[in-house]
Amino acid sequence: MRFDHSTTVNAPAERVWAVFSDVAHWPDWTPTMDSVERLDEGALRVGARTRIRQPKLPVAVWEVTELKDGEYFEWVSRAPGIKTTAGHRVVSTPEGTVVTATVIQEGPLGWLFGKLYAKLTREYIATEITSLKKVTEA
C-alpha cells in the first residue's frame, strides 16, 4: 500500500529542509508525534536510527536508508511481516517549495496493516505536511 501527500510551501527550500530533516524536533510542530528519540548522534545520515512514538500506532524504530542532503531522505521500519518505508522530499520550484511525504507498506502483513491503518496514515501524513507548511511559513 502506498500513501502520498504533497503541498507547496511559501518558504525557501533550505528552511523547509532544515525543519523536515530535524526529526528530533518533529513533536514540537506536529501533533502526530508523541516522542522522537534519535538513537545516534550527529546529523541525519544513512544508517542513523530513530525511535518514534505516535498516537494509536506501535512504537517503531526507523533507519535512514537513503539521503540526498537538502532534498530527500527515506527511512525504513520493520516489524514481523511488515516493512514500512517513509520518504520525505523537498523540491524548489518557481511556485514555491513542494514538500511530499510518502508511506509504503510491504510484506506479507503490509497489505493488512496498510488497510487497517489507511485512514489514520492518510490523516497523519496530511497533518504532518500541513503542520510543516505552517511552521516554515511563519
Side-chain angles (χ1 to χ4, degrees):
M1 302 222 37
R2 181 185 179 104
F3 306 91
D4 296 284
H5 192 84
S6 295
T7 195
T8 300
V9 177
N10 295 314
E14 296 79 15
R15 171 159 171 66
V16 177
W17 176 256
V19 174
F20 210 14
S21 64
D22 185 6
V23 298
H25 287 97
W26 284 2
D28 297 342
W29 55 265
T30 182
T32 63
M33 302 285 162
D34 285 334
S35 68
V36 175
E37 177 189 1
R38 288 286 311 274
L39 302 177
D40 309 283
E41 293 184 19
L44 202 60
R45 59 175 165 53
V46 171
R49 296 175 346 120
T50 303
R51 180 178 297 113
I52 296 181
R53 296 178 195 282
Q54 293 183 269
K56 303 177 187 175
L57 290 174
V59 174
V61 173
W62 295 85
E63 182 174 340
V64 177
T65 55
E66 188 177 334
L67 174 69
K68 186 168 184 184
D69 196 38
E71 295 179 25
Y72 181 75
F73 80 92
E74 179 176 287
W75 56 13
V76 172
S77 177
R78 297 178 193 276
I82 302 170
K83 174 185 171 189
T84 304
T85 303
H88 311 80
R89 186 173 305 279
V90 174
V91 178
S92 184
T93 71
E95 294 77 34
T97 301
V98 177
V99 181
T100 304
T102 302
V103 173
I104 301 168
Q105 292 163 330
E106 302 172 289
L109 298 177
W111 67 271
L112 178 61
F113 189 86
K115 188 171 180 144
L116 290 173
Y117 287 92
K119 181 179 179 203
L120 185 66
T121 301
R122 284 188 192 98
E123 288 174 7
Y124 277 13
I125 63 174
T127 298
E128 289 160 11
I129 294 299
T130 301
S131 298
L132 179 63
K133 178 179 173 74
K134 287 179 187 173
V135 74
T136 55
E137 288 182 344

